[in-house]
Amino acid sequence: EEVAKDLPEKIFIETALRLSESEANGYEEVKTRSAAANPTSAHLATLGYLRMYCCHPNLPSIVDLLGGPRTEDFGKIERLDQIISEIALSEEKLLIFTTYMDMSDRLCKHISSKFGCPTWAINGTTEINQRQTIIDTFSKTKGIAALVINPRAGGSGLNITAANHVIMYNPEWNPALEMQAIAR
C-alpha cells in the first residue's frame, strides 16, 4: 500500500478443500504415527506433520513417517491445476507461497511439466544476491509464468508486481507473515 499505490485492489478468494476418504485416512494415520514417534513433543510435532501432509502426502518427511509413498493423486494439486488452467488462459503470472522446500521443488516440477511454463523458486537455499535477478527474469517473461516462493525467503525490499495472482498453498502460523507475503 505504501510502495506501489498504482496496483489494483486485492481480491481474496478463500477455498476450503475436503480430503477424500483415502486422504482423510492418511491424515489420521499421520496423526497416530507422529504422536507415537514423538511422545515428548507429540502435539507440536504432529501439527507439523499434518501441515506437511496437507501439502502433499508424498513429501519426504511424510513418506518416512508412513513407511512409503502414497498415491500421486491429491485433491489439493488437482484444485491447483484448475486454478492455474484458468490463469493460463489469460497468460498471466502467479506467485505460489509454500513453507516447505520439498513442496516448492514438487510444485516447480509439476507446473513446468504440466503447463509448459517457466517456473522459478525462491526459498532458503536461494542466494540473496540471486533473488532480485529471479524476480526480474520472472517479471520480464511474456505470458504465463510461475514463481514458487517461501514467505520467509523473500526478504524486505522485494516487490513482485508482475504477478496478477497469489496462491497461499499452505497457510502460515502467523497471519501477519501471510499478509506481508501477499503484499509483495
Side-chain angles (χ1 to χ4, degrees):
E1 293 170 359
E2 294 174 19
V3 177
K5 297 177 189 222
D6 59 331
L7 294 176
E9 187 175 328
K10 294 180 237 83
I11 300 170
F12 291 89
I13 303 171
E14 292 187 27
T15 304
L17 301 175
R18 289 194 184 277
L19 295 173
S20 69
E21 185 176 337
S22 65
E23 291 167 352
N25 290 338
Y27 185 92
E28 291 301 320
E29 186 179 356
V30 166
K31 192 179 344 179
T32 302
R33 288 187 184 219
S34 174
N38 303 287
T40 58
S41 60
H43 297 300
L44 190 56
T46 298
L47 284 174
Y49 277 113
L50 292 173
R51 285 184 76 222
M52 282 186 265
Y53 179 85
C54 287
C55 284
H56 201 287
N58 284 344
L59 291 182
S61 296
I62 301 301
V63 170
D64 291 347
L65 181 70
L66 298 179
R70 298 300 191 233
T71 178
E72 280 298 316
D73 295 330
F74 192 57
K76 194 169 192 176
I77 293 290
E78 291 171 11
R79 179 62 183 127
L80 180 69
D81 287 348
Q82 293 169 351
I83 293 168
I84 295 174
S85 293
E86 292 174 24
I87 294 168
L89 292 174
S90 303
E91 294 192 14
E92 296 177 333
K93 293 180 177 55
L94 70 143
L95 300 178
I96 302 174
F97 286 98
T98 184
T99 305
Y100 304 106
M101 283 188 9
D102 290 325
M103 193 65 223
S104 176
D105 294 342
R106 180 178 282 276
L107 287 171
C108 284
K109 288 175 189 167
H110 176 77
I111 293 166
S112 63
S113 171
K114 182 157 182 103
F115 296 96
C117 69
T119 307
W120 297 269
I122 296 177
N123 56 44
T125 64
T126 310
E127 296 291 330
I128 290 176
N129 61 354
Q130 293 177 341
R131 295 174 187 194
Q132 189 61 54
T133 302
I134 292 170
I135 291 168
D136 292 344
T137 304
F138 169 76
S139 298
K140 291 176 186 172
T141 300
K142 301 287 184 213
I144 184 172
L147 178 58
V148 181
I149 186 167
N150 182 309
R152 292 178 195 87
S156 61
L158 289 182
N159 290 311
I160 313 167
T161 58
N164 307 65
H165 306 275
V166 176
I167 298 170
M168 294 302 294
Y169 189 78
N170 59 281
E172 287 298 315
W173 295 106
N174 179 351
L177 180 63
E178 267 186 29
M179 295 311 293
Q180 181 187 24
I182 291 168
R184 283 197 187 113

